[in-house]
């Protein structure tokens, strides 16, 4: 470089290489950006009768992934909308037949034999359940195969049918034990998935045992047990005991939330991959607060204009002549617009008030240990499965985003 | 570290730091990049040579202060930049920085889109109708009745714009008695597959429809719009014709199959809307032209046997057409069959024409029927 040139140094915001042996995680997203992205893609989804949703999901995932930065380097989501659409189309070809023809036959059989349709719904649902677990595993595999960190792909071995079979057995056991063995199921299914997961050349291992989740389950168990007890006593001979449910059911709700957050933390603490390990400090109370106040906040913002609309409708209602002057297509139009507006507002506000705070908390409480070992991880060959999350998409298997 | 050079009064960077991941090891390295404007590329001491034309930035990133570069294609190499001046200069140099990657396997996508549409069309327009027609023959009366009751409740809920509990069923005793009188006169001689139940719903729509299991629904708006009880009787007779042919059972079974498939296609956001739409389709009852002609013929026989004028339906249509304004549900439904004029003429032809026919209802009964919804 020529000596005649002046040299200025500027502050440098790039991350370090993670020398200290541990990598903390930061969350780089701002709510206003997410609001804009979610509103824009949601509006496009509504305008295209739902077909933009493949693009919407991809774009939101790119945003969330890039916001989560262990050691200062964000994750990268490389899934493509077109492959999601393709996977969906493949699933439609198969599922349309099932849902149309099989449902029709079930409906007929149910009415013909039992003169009601409850049985048809039950059987139809039972037929979809294994497919649902299958779809969940496939969806996770797809998402991992499309996730990179430091340029290295994650991946997951095939095993969706094995997963579906195990999930069915564990659910049966959990239901038969009235939920008491839920942690056993959580652990077994997460271990099945984790032990088949790779970060580049490094295979993940889920350590620990299912009993370690029991302390996280105490609230759910107590709330559930007391709810069942109160309901039973109220039902058998003391209906006045029913009011106890107003205390025990929220307790159960908190317990479930506590368990989901707490078990995620404990399970993360026992995940390792060839010298790399995770430490999580997720706080279940904080997660419960985000769910409660985030949902209330979003619902409140949506409800406020609806209440105004409802009151003005009521004011018009009292004036029958004015009502008759409004053509019915106008009612239908306003109804449809309100429906879609509420849908859009809810989707957007849920991101800003619930999902983003959750992701932020989950990210900021995560530490990666063994930074030196990370540096030795090598790339894995891409997993080109083309069906993407087709079945998960078609069956609406809820990945949060 | 950023190096700036002064050229006259302008400042421009020649070199800046970035983080490089090579896509082979999970080890980012700090590299010093330079703009090689002569070679139209970005270069580094470590040997990177990235042409400006091939630079692409990752889209939808959460941190607006950082740009992550990749090369066109599917490579795993990345450069992470956070120097605002460097980012600005790259924007001016890389012409296709924000270009979207090409969609891979487009022909495959189109092929599957075609297959998906073909299979959905086949299922909805061929398989489900054929199966529904076959199954409708074998459903026992008790099951058919249950199907009708369930559909009736769905329609009541779907049509209630206030969204509370569904449209009201009108049951004022005097009106009810007049209606039962009229129905009995029509069906005394008829051989129906199911016992007939006629409901009046409190709605201003001018419409009537038949449901599985012998349920016929009249809207209060239709009774108000009719000029004589004979006109109501004619509409009733037409709907009874559909009941006799079990047309509604076929339609209900069809929609049972179709609702799920359409919900699947449109995803969760429009799913609810689809169910409402299809519930409306049930009452718009898109029967085939043959089914309508058969219902008309059946209605004509029924009316003649009951000593009522089949031509009343023609009077009713003309009254509705004269009213003009917004097309009423019934009129739209019937107008969708191009032979409406023929049907009016046919109805007039069947009229026995004698003036001695006893009226369908006495004046008192007719007034009671008109006020069945208090
Ligand atoms: Zn008809």
């Amino acid at each position: 470089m020529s000596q005649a040139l002046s040299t200025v140094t500027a502050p440098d915001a790039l991350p370090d290489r993670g020398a200290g042996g541990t990598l903390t995680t930061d969350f780089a997203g701002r709510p206003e950006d997410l609001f804009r992205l979610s509103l824009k893609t949601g509006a496009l989804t509504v305008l295209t009768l739902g077909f933009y949703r493949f693009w919407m999901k991809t774009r939101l995932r790119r945003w969330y992934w890039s916001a989560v930065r262990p050691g200062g380097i964000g994750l990268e989501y490389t899934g493509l909308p077109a492959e999601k659409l393709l996977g969906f189309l493949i699933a439609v070809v198969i599922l349309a037949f099932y849902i149309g023809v099989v449902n029709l036959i079930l409906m007929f059989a149910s009415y013909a034999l039992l003169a009601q349709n409850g049985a048809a719904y039950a059987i139809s649902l039972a037929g979809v359940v294994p497919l649902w677990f299958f779809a969940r595993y496939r969806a996770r595999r797809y998402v991992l195969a499309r996730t990179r960190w430091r340029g290295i792909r994650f991946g997951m071995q095939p095993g969706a049918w094995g997963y579906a079979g195990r999930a069915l057995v564990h659910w049966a056991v959990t239901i038969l034990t009235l939920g008491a063995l839920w942690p056993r199921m959580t652990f077994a299914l997460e271990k099945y998935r984790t032990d088949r997961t790779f970060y580049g050349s490094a295979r993940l291992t889920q350590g620990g045992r299912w009993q370690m989740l029991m302390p996280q389950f105490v609230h759910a168990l107590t709330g559930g047990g007391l709810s069942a007890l109160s309901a039973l006593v109220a039902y058998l001979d003391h209906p006045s005991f029913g009011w106890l449910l107003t205390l025990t059911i929220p307790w159960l709700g908190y317990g479930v939330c506590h368990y989901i957050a707490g078990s995620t933390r404990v399970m993360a603490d026992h995940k390792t991959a060839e010298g790399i390990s995770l430490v999580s400090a997720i706080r279940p109370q904080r997660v419960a607060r985000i769910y409660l106040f985030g949902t209330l906040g979003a619902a409140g913002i949506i409800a406020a204009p609806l209440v105004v609309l409802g009151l003005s409708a009521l004011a018009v209602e009292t004036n029958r002549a004015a009502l008759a002057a409004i053509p019915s297509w106008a009612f239908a139009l306003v109804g449809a617009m309100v429906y879609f507006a509420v849908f859009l507002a809810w989707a957007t506000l849920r991101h800003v008030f619930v999902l983003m705070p959750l992701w932020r908390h989950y990210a900021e409480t995560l530490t990666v240990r063994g930074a030196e070992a990370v540096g030795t991880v090598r790339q894995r060959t891409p997993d080109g499965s083309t069906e993407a999350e087709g079945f998960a998409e078609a069956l609406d298997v809820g990945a949060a985003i | 570290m950023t190096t700036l050079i002064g050229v006259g009064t302008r400042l421009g960077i020649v070199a800046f730091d970035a983080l490089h991941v090579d896509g082979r090891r999970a080890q980012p390295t700090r590299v010093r990049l330079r703009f090689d404007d002569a070679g139209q590329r970005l270069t580094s001491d470590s040997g990177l040579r990235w042409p400006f034309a091939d630079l692409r930035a990752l889209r939808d990133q959460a941190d607006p202060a950082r740009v992550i570069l990749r090369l066109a294609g599917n490579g795993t190499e990345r450069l992470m930049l956070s120097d605002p001046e460097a980012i600005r200069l790259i924007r001016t140099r890389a012409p296709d920085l924000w270009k979207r990657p090409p969609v891979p396997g487009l022909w495959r996508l189109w092929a599957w889109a075609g297959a998906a549409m073909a299979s959905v069309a086949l299922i909805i327009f061929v398989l489900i109708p054929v199966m529904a027609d076959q199954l409708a023959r074998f459903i026992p009366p008790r099951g058919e009745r249950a199907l009708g009751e369930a559909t009736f409740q769905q329609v009541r809920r779907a049509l209630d714009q206030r969204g509370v509990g569904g449209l009201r069923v009108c049951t004022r005793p005097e009106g009810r008695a007049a209606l039962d009188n009229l129905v009995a006169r029509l069906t005394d001689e008829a051989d129906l597959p199911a016992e007939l139940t006629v409901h009046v719903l409190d709605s201003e729509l001018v419409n009537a429809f038949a449901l599985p299991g012998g349920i016929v629904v009249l809207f209060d708006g239709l009774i108000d719009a009719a000029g004589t009880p004979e006109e109501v009787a004619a509409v009733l007779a037409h709907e009874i014709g559909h009941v006799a042919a079990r047309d509604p059972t076929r339609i209900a079974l069809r929609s049972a199959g179709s609702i799920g498939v359409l919900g699947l296609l449109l995803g969760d956001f429009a799913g609810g809307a689809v169910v409402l739409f299809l519930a409306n389709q049930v009452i718009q009852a898109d029967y085939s032209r043959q089914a309508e002609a058969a219902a008309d013929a059946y209605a004509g026989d029924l009316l003649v046997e009951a000593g009522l004028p089949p031509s009343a339906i023609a009077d009713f249509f003309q009254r509705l057409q004269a009213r003009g304004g917004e097309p009423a549900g019934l009129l739209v439904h019937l107008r969708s069959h191009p032979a409406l004029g023929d049907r009016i003429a046919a109805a007039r032809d069947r009229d026995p024409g004698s003036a001695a026919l006893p009226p369908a209802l006495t004046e008192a009964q007719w007034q009671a029927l008109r006020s069945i919804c208090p």
Side-chain angles (χ1 to χ4, degrees), chain B residues 309-335:
Chain B
S311 63
I313 194 85
D315 299 337
F316 190 40
F317 288 154
Q318 276 164 356
R319 194 186 307 281
L320 289 181
Q321 272 169 338
R323 240 169 53 139
E326 215 183 320
L330 187 68
L331 201 57
V332 171
H333 161 58
L334 292 166
R335 209 158 52 189

Side-chain angles (χ1 to χ4, degrees), chain B residues 208-209 235 238-239 241-242 247 284-285 287-288 291-293 295-296 330 333-334 337 343:
Chain B
F209 55 93
V235 171
H238 176 85
E239 298 305 333
H242 285 307
D247 292 331
Q284 300 288 340
Y287 301 125
S288 70
E292 289 300 345
D296 273 349
L330 187 68
H333 161 58
L334 292 166
H337 301 282
R343 287 169 66 183

Side-chain angles (χ1 to χ4, degrees), chain A residues 12 14-17, chain B residues 1 17-20 28-32:
Chain A
D12 180 336
L14 283 175
D16 271 337
R17 267 192 254 167
Chain B
M1 247 235 275
D17 278 358
L19 215 57
H20 175 239
T29 48
R30 195 167 283 266
V31 291
R32 189 144 186 84

Side-chain angles (χ1 to χ4, degrees), chain B residues 39-372:
Chain B
Q40 286 289 295
R41 61 191 182 174
L42 216 51
T43 63
S44 81
D45 301 340
S46 55
L48 294 181
R49 302 283 180 268
W50 286 28
F52 291 153
D54 290 344
L55 293 182
R56 302 284 184 276
L58 298 189
R59 307 171 67 87
D60 300 316
Q61 298 293 294
D63 185 352
R66 191 184 285 191
V67 165
I68 300 175
L69 294 178
R70 63 180 181 90
L71 283 171
N74 288 324
T76 47
E77 252 184 294
R78 298 287 184 266
L79 280 171
M80 293 162 205
L81 284 62
S82 56
D83 184 312
E85 183 61 10
I87 291 170
R88 192 187 67 78
L89 290 173
I90 282 173
R91 279 177 205 274
T92 63
R93 282 169 170 76
D96 294 328
L97 194 60
W98 299 106
K99 191 176 171 184
R100 287 181 175 80
V103 179
L106 204 57
W107 64 270
R108 235 180 93 105
L109 198 61
W110 281 112
W112 276 102
M117 275 187 321
S119 88
V120 167
L122 192 73
I123 288 165
I124 287 189
F125 295 115
V126 181
L127 207 51
I128 288 177
V130 167
M131 283 178 58
D133 290 357
Q134 294 301 316
L135 292 176
R137 288 196 216 162
F138 298 112
I139 192 162
R142 204 166 69 93
E144 193 173 2
R145 181 73 188 193
L147 177 60
E149 290 291 349
T151 317
F152 181 52
Q153 299 310 331
Q154 273 171 14
V155 169
R156 276 181 61 201
R157 273 197 300 277
L159 288 178
D160 188 1
Q161 286 174 344
R162 288 174 196 82
V164 272
L167 283 182
R168 197 160 57 95
V169 182
C170 300
T171 53
R172 196 170 179 191
E174 298 81 17
R176 198 57 244 183
L179 184 63
D180 289 344
N181 208 307
L182 189 62
V183 172
R185 179 159 171 191
L186 275 173
T187 55
D188 268 352
E189 305 296 315
D191 178 26
L192 292 172
E195 200 191 330
L196 199 68
T197 310
V198 182
H199 290 299
V200 179
L201 281 183
D202 187 9
S203 164
E204 281 162 29
L205 295 175
V206 180
N207 209 343
F209 55 93
L211 292 175
I215 298 175
V216 170
V217 178
L218 292 176
F219 286 160
D220 190 38
L222 181 133
I223 298 175
D224 283 344
T228 63
E230 282 75 14
E231 293 175 10
V232 176
V235 171
L236 262 176
H238 176 85
E239 298 305 333
I240 294 171
H242 285 307
V243 167
R246 285 187 141 179
D247 292 331
T249 309
R250 279 194 280 277
I251 292 280
L253 285 175
R254 276 183 208 188
S255 69
S258 313
I259 283 179
V261 176
L262 290 177
L264 172 76
L265 264 189
L266 293 173
D268 53 351
F269 104 89
V274 165
V275 173
L276 285 185
F277 173 74
L278 281 177
N280 271 305
Q281 286 306 100
V282 171
I283 65 163
Q284 300 288 340
D286 188 16
Y287 301 125
S288 70
R289 204 173 303 173
Q290 292 97 307
E292 289 300 345
D296 273 349
Y298 187 95
D301 291 343
L302 210 57
L303 290 166
V304 170
E305 269 171 43
L308 292 167
S311 63
I313 194 85
D315 299 337
F316 190 40
F317 288 154
Q318 276 164 356
R319 194 186 307 281
L320 289 181
Q321 272 169 338
R323 240 169 53 139
E326 215 183 320
L330 187 68
L331 201 57
V332 171
H333 161 58
L334 292 166
R335 209 158 52 189
S336 69
H337 301 282
L340 178 58
D342 298 349
R343 287 169 66 183
I344 292 177
R348 289 220 188 282
D349 283 349
R350 301 203 52 157
D351 221 342
S354 86
L357 289 172
L361 293 174
T362 65
E363 184 56 29
Q365 283 174 324
W366 174 230
Q367 291 312 327
L369 180 57
R370 287 175 76 86
S371 52
I372 191 169

Side-chain angles (χ1 to χ4, degrees), chain A residues 87-103 127-128 131-132 134-135 389-397, chain B residues 116 119-120 123 257 260-262 264-265:
Chain A
F88 170 74
L89 291 172
I90 294 173
V92 161
V93 171
I94 297 161
L95 283 178
F97 181 81
Y98 174 80
I99 289 183
V101 173
V102 177
N103 274 3
V128 176
L131 211 56
W132 194 81
F134 173 85
E389 305 154 283
F391 280 94
E393 189 72 55
L395 291 174
D396 196 18
V397 175
Chain B
S119 88
V120 167
I123 288 165
V261 176
L262 290 177
L264 172 76
L265 264 189

